[in-house]
Structure formats: structure tokens, C-alpha cells
Amino acid sequence: WVGAQARSFENGLWIFDLSDLILKRLQRNGKIQQQSANAGYMGEDEVKPIHIYDHQNRTYVSHENQGVWIFDQQANFIQSLRTPGIRKFQVQQDHLIWLDSNQIRSINLKTQMIQSIPVPLSEPVISFERQGALYVFLCPEKAILVRRLNQ
């Protein structure tokens, strides 16, 4: 049972296997290349991975109502960010960025400081991406570009 998956560096695949609660990196032929310890050792009652993101030698796994776990490329656990409500996210430089109702939230991975930027839209936002100083918001049936003014 796969709870979440994402493409890994070197064209592999990260999966979070719900049958044994292990993060695994698979080679293109399906063979396991790296795997974490069982997530039960982290003291979680129920593990529900939602999203995996591979970025600059780190693998990030968000799980429902718990936050984000960070692993190195060998699937060794590094740290947990206790930021409930993160579903999909992206990582840019030293910041993990996610959309939280009507604001963009960012946590500095080194200092753990959280910042918020109001989203200047009244429409429901499905997802967003940051491209330099521009934010691209995907709303039903259209995309909206917004430039952050105090960059």
C-alpha cells in the first residue's frame, strides 16, 4: 500500500509504504535502493502520508495533521516540523512554503521561524507555485499571477 509517492533524484521513485510504515527509494527497475526505519519509532499513533518532495539531498514527507518529516537521501530521519495543516508544499532555498487558507506560509528550515503573506485573492485557490518574485495561483479554470511587492 503506497500512501504517497514522488520522483527522486537519478530518476528513481520515493514511496511511503503503508504496509510497513517505511519511506523507500526505488530504482527504475523497482528494486529498493534506500529505506528508512519504521515510522512507528517516531511515536506517531497513525501515519497518513500525503505528499513527498525531493529537493537538494533532502526528502520531505507531509502527513495528515502531524507536520513534515525530513530525511536525507539515504532515507535517514533528520527532523520533524510540527506544523499541522501542511498538505502540499514546496521547498525553496532554506524555506518550506505552503498554502494555508488565505495566506502563504513559510518556515525557515534553519531557524524554524514562520512567516505569513496574505493571498490577495477572493477566489478559492487549489494550489500555487513560486517562480522567483512571482506567485502562480491555480484557481478553478484559470491561473493568476501575483508579484510580491516587498521582495
Side-chain angles (χ1 to χ4, degrees), residues 1-13:
W1 299 82
V2 175
Q5 71 279 332
R7 187 174 174 179
S8 74
F9 71 100
E10 299 175 354
N11 292 320
L13 181 70

Side-chain angles (χ1 to χ4, degrees), residues 62-149:
S62 64
H63 52 103
E64 193 172 305
N65 300 322
Q66 298 296 322
V68 177
W69 290 331
I70 303 174
F71 298 85
D72 66 16
Q73 288 299 311
Q74 287 71 45
N76 297 310
F77 177 74
I78 297 172
Q79 76 181 95
S80 179
L81 301 174
R82 295 287 178 190
T83 47
I86 295 178
R87 297 186 68 76
K88 288 198 169 190
F89 58 89
Q90 57 187 281
V91 179
Q92 301 234 344
Q93 298 163 356
D94 293 329
H95 291 85
L96 187 134
I97 304 166
W98 72 100
L99 189 61
D100 184 8
S101 62
N102 64 342
Q103 58 187 338
I104 297 169
R105 299 193 54 134
S106 169
I107 185 168
N108 184 305
L109 296 170
K110 291 182 180 177
T111 66
Q112 304 296 303
M113 297 284 294
I114 296 177
Q115 292 182 312
S116 297
I117 302 168
V119 175
L121 302 174
S122 59
E123 301 189 42
V125 177
I126 298 168
S127 66
F128 78 103
E129 247 188 63
R130 181 176 172 202
Q131 302 290 332
L134 289 177
Y135 289 98
V136 180
F137 294 92
L138 298 178
C139 297
E141 300 182 18
K142 64 180 168 180
I144 299 170
L145 296 176
V146 177
R147 180 179 301 273
R148 183 173 172 199
L149 299 176

Side-chain angles (χ1 to χ4, degrees), residues 2-4 16-23 38-50 61-66 69 71:
V2 175
F16 198 97
D17 189 337
L18 292 175
S19 65
D20 54 12
L21 301 180
I22 293 177
L23 176 67
N38 180 290
Y41 81 92
M42 290 187 249
E44 301 298 338
D45 295 333
E46 190 174 11
V47 177
K48 292 183 179 179
I50 298 168
V61 180
S62 64
H63 52 103
E64 193 172 305
N65 300 322
Q66 298 296 322
W69 290 331
F71 298 85

